[in-house]
Amino acid sequence: MRTYFILLLVITTFCGCQRLDPMMFNNDNTITEYKRDQFLKDVDFILDDSYTIPNNLITEIILESKTEKEKTPTKIYATYIGDLSKISTDTVIMYCHGNKWHMDFYWQRAKLLANVGGKNRFGVMMVDYRGYGLSEGKPTEDGMYADVDACLKWLKQKGLSSNRLVIYGFSLGSAPSCELTAHPRSLTPTKLILEAPFASSDVLVQDASKLALSPKFLADTKIDNAEEIKNVKQDLFWIHGIADDYLSYKTHGQIIYNNYRGSYKEAHLVDGAGHGSVPNTFGFENYKKALEKFIRR
């Protein structure tokens, strides 16, 4: 298995030129249940009551995920926001979250997406990769791809077709989003949204220029979104904070955007926004309108 996640954990023990946030990699796996709106621990923003999702539109799902090399599946947890009976006629956003903690930390973001285009206009699905939250197993690159695809397989079984699937990757989530858009498995996304994506594991190390990691250690780490995006033909929406000092838009997101070879792309650089503050700095209404316009085009 490739050791991208191990690399990230090593990076955070040093101080690189990009002032890496050590909390970005603090995966609190001591939880016994998901708290959703009751989880307010250092979240990036908190939405007002108008964004509240009714309990009957929140479904916690347990899935089995298996990579090609595994003999037995891994149990993972996912959440679907929306009416299950409408998946076969709905548009669904598959949200791939970042590396910090678990789904509770990203619940506010999922709720925001569930309000794009109107209250519960689109379905939203989110998953905890193996080793995150209540999901079992240990984090691996191949496992992360399999975990997201397990969600897509579930959506397909519920009647979702490829032409109504949008995949959204935030930060670390840009890796499975690019991979499963460029090389589809259970479903083929029709659109790709990337928020604060990273160009490659190599660029992560280059940014943290004070690191002294051996070439042998890095040899197995080959996530390269900047190259993978060249295989993506679907429409691309890129949004990134100009003040992001964790994943610089110049060395990460801009490279991905420039390398895209499809027929349509749009960029939104948000002045004053850091790594986790793009939606609220951009403005929730502006954020929702921009995403709705892109999804509906």
Side-chain angles (χ1 to χ4, degrees), residues 31-61:
I31 65 171
T32 57
E33 63 178 351
Y34 290 108
K35 296 183 178 180
R36 301 188 181 93
D37 281 317
Q38 281 66 54
F39 182 89
L40 303 175
K41 187 176 180 180
D42 297 327
V43 294
D44 291 327
F45 53 83
I46 298 175
L47 299 169
D48 63 41
D49 291 343
S50 67
Y51 289 90
T52 300
I53 308 297
N55 288 333
N56 66 320
L57 295 181
I58 302 172
T59 304
E60 187 173 288
I61 306 156

Side-chain angles (χ1 to χ4, degrees), residues 93-135:
I93 302 170
M94 178 70 227
Y95 181 71
C96 303
H97 69 57
N99 198 58
K100 187 174 181 179
W101 289 332
H102 44 72
M103 286 191 289
D104 276 347
F105 182 80
Y106 301 94
W107 178 243
Q108 300 297 319
R109 291 172 174 272
K111 287 199 305 180
L112 184 60
L113 291 177
N115 280 267
V116 169
K119 195 71 172 179
N120 293 114
R121 172 63 185 84
F122 306 118
V124 177
M125 191 160 194
M126 179 168 56
V127 64
D128 263 341
Y129 318 122
R130 57 188 65 194
Y132 288 70
L134 296 180
S135 293

Side-chain angles (χ1 to χ4, degrees), residues 41-274:
K41 187 176 180 180
D42 297 327
V43 294
D44 291 327
F45 53 83
I46 298 175
L47 299 169
D48 63 41
D49 291 343
S50 67
Y51 289 90
T52 300
I53 308 297
N55 288 333
N56 66 320
L57 295 181
I58 302 172
T59 304
E60 187 173 288
I61 306 156
I62 300 176
L63 300 171
E64 290 190 339
S65 171
K66 189 170 70 170
T67 68
E68 292 182 355
K69 297 180 180 179
E70 290 179 320
K71 295 181 179 180
T72 58
T74 299
K75 184 169 70 175
I76 60 172
Y77 281 73
T79 300
Y80 186 78
I81 303 175
D83 187 338
L84 296 180
S85 68
K86 295 182 179 179
I87 291 179
S88 62
T89 59
D90 205 355
T91 293
V92 175
I93 302 170
M94 178 70 227
Y95 181 71
C96 303
H97 69 57
N99 198 58
K100 187 174 181 179
W101 289 332
H102 44 72
M103 286 191 289
D104 276 347
F105 182 80
Y106 301 94
W107 178 243
Q108 300 297 319
R109 291 172 174 272
K111 287 199 305 180
L112 184 60
L113 291 177
N115 280 267
V116 169
K119 195 71 172 179
N120 293 114
R121 172 63 185 84
F122 306 118
V124 177
M125 191 160 194
M126 179 168 56
V127 64
D128 263 341
Y129 318 122
R130 57 188 65 194
Y132 288 70
L134 296 180
S135 293
E136 297 178 351
K138 296 180 179 180
T140 67
E141 181 189 347
D142 290 341
M144 179 171 58
Y145 300 157
D147 297 343
V148 175
D149 188 60
C151 293
L152 301 185
K153 185 179 297 183
W154 181 85
L155 289 168
K156 185 177 182 179
Q157 292 170 347
K158 294 295 181 181
L160 183 70
S161 59
S162 291
N163 63 356
R164 289 182 288 102
L165 172 66
V166 177
I167 194 163
Y168 188 128
F170 168 60
S171 191
L172 173 66
S174 60
S177 297
C178 286
E179 170 69 22
L180 296 177
T181 302
H183 308 288
R185 300 182 186 181
S186 296
L187 287 171
T188 302
T190 186
K191 290 182 173 65
L192 173 62
I193 300 170
L194 298 177
E195 179 187 343
F198 70 97
S200 68
S201 49
D202 287 344
V203 176
L204 277 174
V205 176
Q206 292 167 14
D207 280 353
S209 60
K210 295 181 182 180
L211 291 177
L213 299 175
S214 71
K216 184 177 185 300
F217 180 82
L218 297 177
D220 292 333
T221 307
K222 295 300 180 184
I223 293 181
D224 196 336
N225 294 325
E227 282 299 309
E228 203 65 83
I229 197 68
K230 295 177 181 179
N231 298 312
V232 171
K233 303 306 178 185
Q234 295 91 329
D235 292 354
L236 172 66
F237 179 106
W238 168 50
I239 187 167
H240 212 131
I242 292 178
D244 189 336
D245 60 0
Y246 169 63
L247 294 177
S248 167
Y249 81 93
K250 293 181 180 179
T251 56
H252 289 281
Q254 189 71 59
I255 306 302
I256 293 174
Y257 186 78
N258 292 346
N259 284 357
Y260 171 78
R261 296 174 177 175
S263 59
Y264 179 83
K265 63 180 180 180
E266 61 180 81
H268 299 266
L269 292 175
V270 184
D271 190 22

